[in-house]
């Protein structure tokens, strides 16, 4: 045990640390007796060894009630009549948590947003902001005449646009329940009524992900990013699909460095046609 020697405030004697106490060796004054506990301030008396949590999950914007709701748990020790009683109580409790159609729509949309986010491996920050955006759209009564699935997907797409995360509408529609028409209608309403700070997508944002999907060398990716800059300087990007521009630059860079990559493969990863890719590729060669 390490010993810390200080000076006694009463007799100026030597103070030594003994366990959790600091005691003066001359007059016996206990200078300090409280040990600093660096551990958590809580304690679980039911199961302190394996279940040390008592506060539950943190607050989240991806739940209609911010994660503050309670629930009736399950237990394998309940049998027969008691088990049926708690099953009935659990069912009634779940129904009582949703008080209106508006709340039910929010629960459904938030569930759909969490599902899409999980399928596309997007971050929790994108998930929470998409849920906040959907909530704002609901407050502005933008959902009337439009589908919940479309607004859930549109909220994710709009959040990706504002946060600079490159995701195409085709990629979203692959995992979402909404069609492209439903997503576009909802996105147009969000962009028009809420004034989202969405600008044109930079094709450079697609290049690293497309290069990884196609398993291309780093040199090809770096050259493709240079070609994107050249295309922007020559105003070849304006009016074109940014994903198609990124795929065309990757294909051009692969051709320059003799890396095997077909136009069909590059176009497929960007969800564009080879004809779209060839248009940008031809202009890059000029």
């Amino acid at each position: 045990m390490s010993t810390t020697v200080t000076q006694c405030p009463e007799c100026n004697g030597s103070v030594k640390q003994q366990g959790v106490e600091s005691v003066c060796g001359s007059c016996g004054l206990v200078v300090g007796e409280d040990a600093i506990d660096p551990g958590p301030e809580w304690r679980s008396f039911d199961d302190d060894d394996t279940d040390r949590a008592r506060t539950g999950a943190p607050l989240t914007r991806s739940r209609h009630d911010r994660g503050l709701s309670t629930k009736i748990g399950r237990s394998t020790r309940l049998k027969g009549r008691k088990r049926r009683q708690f099953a009935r109580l659990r069912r009634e409790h779940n129904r009582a948590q949703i008080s209106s159609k508006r709340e039910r729509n929010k629960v459904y949309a938030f569930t759909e947003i969490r599902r899409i986010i999980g399928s596309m491996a997007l971050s929790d920050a994108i998930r929470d902001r998409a849920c906040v955006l959907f909530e704002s759209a609901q407050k502005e009564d933008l959902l009337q005449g439009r589908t919940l699935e479309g607004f859930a997907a549109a909220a994710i797409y709009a959040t990706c646009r504002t946060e600079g995360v490159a995701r195409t509408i085709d990629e979203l529609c692959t995992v979402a329940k909404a069609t492209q028409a439903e997503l576009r209608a909802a996105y147009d309403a969000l962009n028009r009524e809420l004034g989202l700070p969405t600008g044109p997508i930079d094709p450079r944002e697609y290049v690293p992900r497309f290069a990884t999907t196609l398993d291309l060398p780093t040199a090809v990716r770096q050259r493709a990013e240079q070609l994107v800059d050249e295309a922007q300087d020559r105003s070849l990007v304006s009016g074109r699909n940014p994903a198609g521009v990124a795929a065309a630059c990757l294909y051009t860079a692969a051709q320059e460095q003799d890396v095997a990559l077909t136009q069909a493969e590059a176009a497929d990863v960007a969800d564009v046609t080879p004809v779209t890719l060839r248009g940008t590729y031809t202009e890059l060669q000029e």
Side-chain angles (χ1 to χ4, degrees):
M1 181 183 298
S2 61
T3 301
T4 303
V5 180
T6 58
Q7 195 174 36
C8 176
E10 295 290 337
C11 66
N12 295 328
S14 298
V15 176
K16 295 184 179 180
Q17 190 78 20
Q18 297 179 357
V20 298
E21 294 182 342
S22 299
V23 182
C24 176
S26 301
C27 65
L29 175 68
V30 178
V31 179
E33 59 180 352
D34 295 327
I36 297 176
D37 183 7
E41 51 84 23
W42 49 261
R43 184 178 172 192
S44 176
F45 291 96
D46 292 334
D47 188 2
D48 203 17
D49 296 327
T50 60
D51 184 12
R52 302 184 61 84
R54 72 167 177 86
T55 56
L59 293 179
T60 174
R61 296 303 298 266
S62 64
R63 301 278 179 180
H64 73 287
D65 53 9
R66 306 289 180 88
L68 286 174
S69 60
T70 58
K71 64 179 181 178
I72 300 176
R74 300 176 183 271
S75 175
T76 57
R77 290 178 292 184
L78 297 177
K79 302 295 182 183
R81 182 177 174 182
K82 203 71 172 177
R83 186 171 184 175
R84 290 192 297 272
Q85 178 186 4
F86 271 88
R88 185 169 61 254
L89 290 172
R90 190 181 301 111
R91 184 171 59 251
E92 295 300 325
H93 177 70
N94 290 337
R95 289 175 179 173
Q97 288 182 323
I98 302 175
S99 58
S100 63
K101 182 179 179 181
R102 188 184 187 91
E103 196 79 8
R104 184 166 61 251
N105 289 343
K106 187 189 296 186
V107 171
Y108 177 80
F110 282 12
T111 302
E112 176 68 1
I113 288 174
R114 292 196 303 272
R115 186 188 65 81
I116 296 174
I117 291 292
S119 299
M120 300 186 70
L122 295 171
S123 67
D124 291 346
I126 298 293
R127 178 201 65 192
D128 292 344
R129 289 168 186 166
C131 289
V132 172
L133 183 58
F134 177 88
E135 199 170 9
S136 300
Q138 191 179 43
K139 289 179 180 177
E140 295 295 328
D141 294 327
L142 303 182
L143 274 62
Q144 188 171 3
R146 303 181 179 93
T147 64
L148 293 173
E149 294 86 355
F151 260 98
I156 296 174
Y157 179 68
T159 304
C160 289
R161 288 285 302 270
T162 56
E163 296 299 320
V165 178
R167 292 295 185 275
T168 64
I169 291 180
D170 291 331
E171 287 177 306
L172 265 170
C173 290
T174 301
V175 298
K177 295 179 181 178
T179 63
Q180 280 200 21
E182 292 172 337
L183 191 155
R184 290 182 184 277
Y187 176 73
D188 289 343
L190 286 173
N191 206 10
R192 180 177 61 252
E193 301 297 334
L194 299 183
L196 301 178
T198 56
I201 301 176
D202 188 353
R204 285 178 64 98
E205 297 175 2
Y206 291 100
V207 171
R209 187 158 56 88
F210 289 171
T212 301
T213 303
L214 295 170
D215 196 21
L216 296 174
T218 303
V220 173
R221 176 182 61 79
Q222 292 174 344
R223 176 55 182 157
E225 290 175 346
Q226 294 175 358
L227 289 171
V228 170
D229 293 337
E230 293 178 11
Q232 289 176 331
D233 293 339
R234 294 167 56 187
S235 300
L236 301 181
V237 177
S238 179
R240 296 180 184 270
N241 186 332
V245 173
C249 291
L250 280 170
Y251 175 74
T252 305
Q255 294 301 304
E256 290 178 356
Q257 301 185 21
D258 294 328
V259 176
L261 178 65
T262 65
Q263 290 184 2
E265 291 172 339
D268 183 63
V269 76
D271 288 324
V272 297
T273 64
V275 176
T276 301
L277 186 147
R278 278 196 295 271
T280 306
Y281 170 72
T282 302
E283 293 193 7
L284 285 171
Q285 297 299 306
E286 296 177 356

